[in-house]
């Protein structure tokens, strides 16, 4: 049995929500959420954004680039708002500034990063920690995508009575087994992908539903930042409304295919791209075993499974290209 | 004086809002907006999305790809919702399906397209028309970006008391003169851009604030759909969190620079990209004369001005590439 590092627990999340609820009881309660971050951390909040958009009846939710929030703070953000600010190392200046700004408008701020020992943790009434494979062994229940989703499910259970809550909790419990099995399943495919794509100048990513964030991370963090490959993210539902015209037999696509309500959008993209590109790499949550999760909540767990597998493809690509994952030319090296 | 075609007026927009308000008075009023479309039409709704996010105190707003709405309809969408469904020709099957779905959940549906004679107009309690240069002369007050913004300003004036309303109305009135002058200003630059970029395989677009939609349209409708050039849209605030690592002296960027609150984000991107790429094309709203609009509302008018100019660049590119704007290989030609 693998030893996992320890992070903010579901119990602590519940206690935070109960406390905020009590504090805001006489002020009109919790009205909305703002989710702030930059790059991969903004994407890491998206499963919560998507969950709230789909399931919340009363509490609204917006994601924003942290710096846009700093310079154009929404008027709706105030004492009835919970603001979550996420940054992996907790050092991102724009996200630290956003947490400060959110406190100034009297929102209840929760900051999230890998450790408590970081500039971001100085802001916010609450600071939560989450895990990442970059830092050491952690349960998939503790990665940012899962942690924020858990918050959403607990929040709606407490505030609105989320009827699928038990099914959601059960899903968290199978994540580690599910991801471990799927990662093994794709390891040879990842090496094959890397061989076939190591000289490509451009690779597009596609996804729908909660998994849109995984495609975005694959584009900006993996292909562009780590491997210096041109990329763009196409929402699977947007493909036929412009983007598909660049498709030809030389253009590669990296597709995330969900199980659940938006699967039809993904399958439609697969059909088109397999016919007109042929250079299509597919990560299919259904084929990777996600159906052990209840169909009523499966939508929200797709990105956790699919992202755990996508990382294997980028690692293989780095090997095939002999371009180390952590090689940078600008980040933390020049002024910007 | 140019003769303009006639579209839904500000007065009709106000009457619609008043009517919906009366209808929902005893049911809890207007609680949220959902903005639905695909591709360029989804982007065309974004100035309203951004305006609501910035200015609304109580009414929340979400934009969604129309087909994602059909397959995963938000629980928050119901009898207290206004749903706007936009499609240029009014024939987009996914958007027609979304309007139908929105009616099924008892939302008040407004459909928008160029004409009243289209499938989309069969749905929705209200149907509004807007103009496009594609169809003939129209005032910039009547393009989709402006029409939905006008709706937002009228809605907040009526529902929440929007204190900058008069400044907004004044801004609409100068749009035609502003855009006409700016388009002349960029016409030689557009030809130069086209000469320099006609053989490029990839051109990225960048923007922040309400203008993010213009960058998205430039990417998916202009570069990818019309000119078959690879592209991706980068939010100016996201640049340093991954995407900038693909920058080199050969990588071209097309930047929209706002006047207003998020200008700092755009100027920061200009500084970085001019230093490390050098192949940077800039459309700067300030330099193009937008400061005749009051600084308190200028943010929302940036995309209308900048998009009117961007179109000139794509026209010039089509000429230089000898690749007609309306040439397609898949759209309306194959099954998808």
């Amino acid at each position: 049995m693998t030893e996992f590092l320890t992070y903010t627990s579901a119990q602590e999340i519940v206690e935070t929500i109960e406390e905020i609820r009590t504090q805001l009881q006489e002020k009109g309660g919790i009205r909305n959420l703002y989710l702030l971050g930059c790059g991969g951390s903004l994407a890491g909040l998206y499963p919560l954004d998507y969950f709230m958009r789909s399931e919340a009846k009363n509490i609204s939710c917006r994601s924003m680039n942290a710096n846009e929030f700093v310079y154009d703070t929404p008027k709706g953000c105030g004492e009835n708002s919970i603001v979550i600010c996420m940054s992996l190392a907790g050092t991102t200046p724009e996200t630290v500034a956003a947490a400060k700004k959110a406190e100034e408008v009297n929102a209840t701020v929760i900051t999230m990063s890998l450790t408590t020992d970081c500039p971001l943790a100085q802001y916010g009434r609450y600071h939560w920690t989450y895990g990442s494979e970059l830092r050491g062994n952690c349960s998939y229940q503790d990665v940012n995508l899962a942690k924020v989703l858990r918050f959403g499910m607990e929040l709606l259970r407490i505030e609105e009575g989320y009827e699928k809550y038990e099914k959601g909790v059960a899903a968290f419990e199978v994540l580690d087994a599910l991801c471990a099995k799927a990662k093994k399943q794709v390891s040879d495919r990842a090496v094959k992908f890397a061989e076939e794509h190591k000289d490509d100048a451009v690779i597009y990513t596609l996804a729908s539903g909660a998994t849109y964030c995984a495609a975005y991370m694959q584009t900006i963090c993996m292909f562009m930042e780590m491997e210096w490959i041109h990329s763009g993210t196409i929402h699977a539902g947007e493909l036929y409304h412009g983007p598909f015209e660049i498709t030809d037999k030389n253009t590669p696509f990296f597709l995330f295919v969900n199980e659940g309500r938006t699967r039809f959008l993904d399958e439609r993209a697969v059909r088109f791209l397999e016919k007109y590109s042929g250079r299509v790499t597919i990560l299919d949550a259904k084929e990777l075993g996600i159906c052990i999760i209840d169909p009523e909540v499966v939508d929200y767990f797709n990105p956790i499974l699919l992202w755990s597998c996508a990382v294997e493809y980028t690692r293989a690509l780095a090997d095939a290209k002999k371009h180390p994952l952590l090689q940078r030319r600008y980040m933390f090296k020049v002024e910007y």
Side-chain angles (χ1 to χ4, degrees), chain A:
Chain A
M1 177 92 188
T2 321
E3 276 290 323
F4 289 141
L5 296 168
T6 307
Y7 300 96
T8 298
S9 67
Q11 186 52 38
E12 289 169 277
I13 289 173
V14 171
E15 284 163 13
T16 303
I17 297 168
E18 296 283 11
E19 209 172 292
I20 297 171
R21 202 168 186 247
T22 308
Q23 284 155 359
L24 296 184
Q25 204 156 28
E26 285 171 15
K27 295 175 180 171
I30 301 163
R31 289 205 24 229
N32 52 35
L33 310 182
Y34 291 88
L35 313 181
L36 312 179
C38 295
S41 291
L42 177 57
L45 290 155
Y46 191 71
L48 172 57
D49 184 88
Y50 192 87
F51 172 79
M52 292 298 291
R53 192 184 78 183
S54 288
E55 299 286 353
K57 295 178 201 106
N58 300 308
I59 300 172
S60 65
C61 180
R62 295 290 307 227
S63 292
M64 287 175 73
N65 169 271
N67 218 20
E68 193 158 275
F69 179 90
V70 171
Y71 283 89
D72 195 2
T73 314
K75 294 235 177 11
C77 185
E79 65 173 1
N80 299 101
S81 307
I82 296 176
V83 175
I84 303 183
C85 296
M86 182 184 287
S87 160
L88 191 71
T91 54
T92 314
E94 298 96 319
T95 310
V96 174
K100 186 164 177 283
K101 183 82 194 190
E103 289 195 333
E104 285 166 17
V105 298
N106 300 314
T108 301
V109 178
I110 299 166
T111 54
M112 292 182 70
S113 56
L114 287 181
T115 66
T116 52
D117 180 26
C118 62
L120 186 61
Q122 294 165 23
Y123 294 94
R125 192 174 302 160
Y126 306 95
H127 183 75
W128 292 346
T129 56
Y130 59 91
S132 160
E133 285 177 284
L134 298 171
R135 195 174 166 236
N137 281 326
C138 74
S139 163
Y140 279 98
Q141 296 198 49
D142 283 327
V143 299
N144 56 0
L145 302 170
K147 195 66 79 191
V148 298
L149 177 60
R150 183 68 185 239
F151 165 77
M153 290 188 175
E154 300 292 350
L155 179 68
L156 288 198
R157 173 182 64 81
I158 293 168
E159 285 284 321
E160 304 190 353
Y162 177 50
E163 65 273 19
K164 302 167 200 162
Y165 172 77
E166 298 297 339
K167 291 170 179 167
V169 170
F172 282 106
E173 284 161 15
V174 301
L175 277 179
D176 288 320
L178 176 65
C179 294
K181 187 164 169 285
K183 282 166 73 172
K184 273 187 206 150
Q185 209 172 323
V186 301
S187 70
D188 289 347
R189 299 180 203 174
V191 173
K192 190 162 169 277
F193 162 84
E195 252 340 288
E196 286 172 0
H197 292 278
K198 66 180 195 295
D199 299 319
D200 277 317
V202 55
I203 308 173
Y204 285 100
T205 67
L206 271 97
S208 72
T211 306
Y212 185 78
C213 63
Y216 183 68
M217 291 192 288
Q218 190 67 26
T219 285
I220 70 159
C221 304
M222 298 316 211
F223 290 147
M224 296 174 84
E225 177 181 336
M226 297 199 178
E227 294 302 312
W228 307 355
I229 295 169
H230 292 302
S231 186
T233 304
I234 303 167
H235 187 286
E238 294 281 279
L239 181 62
Y240 323 97
H241 304 281
F244 71 163
E245 287 290 336
I246 46 84
T247 310
D248 61 29
K249 292 288 177 192
N250 292 317
T251 307
F253 294 86
F254 193 91
L255 275 77
F256 295 88
V257 175
N258 287 331
E259 173 58 0
R261 296 190 288 274
T262 65
R263 185 173 177 86
F264 171 81
L265 276 68
D266 302 331
E267 286 183 333
R268 188 180 168 203
V270 168
R271 281 195 301 275
F272 179 83
L273 293 173
E274 287 204 322
K275 185 162 181 185
Y276 295 103
S277 152
R279 301 197 63 214
V280 180
T281 302
I282 294 166
L283 276 178
D284 181 347
K286 187 174 183 179
E287 189 250 346
L288 293 170
I290 205 166
C291 294
I292 58 170
I293 291 177
D294 192 285
E296 293 209 79
V297 296
V298 74
D299 298 84
Y300 312 117
F301 293 90
N302 284 306
I304 303 168
L305 168 64
L306 292 174
W307 184 246
S308 77
C309 293
V311 172
E312 301 299 302
Y313 286 70
T314 313
R315 284 192 172 131
L317 194 60
D319 289 343
K321 284 175 78 73
K322 302 191 196 336
H323 182 118
L325 288 174
L326 298 180
Q327 187 176 342
R328 301 285 180 277
R329 41 188 164 185
Y330 308 113
M331 195 177 273
F332 310 128
K333 288 193 161 179
V334 304
E335 255 188 270
Y336 48 87

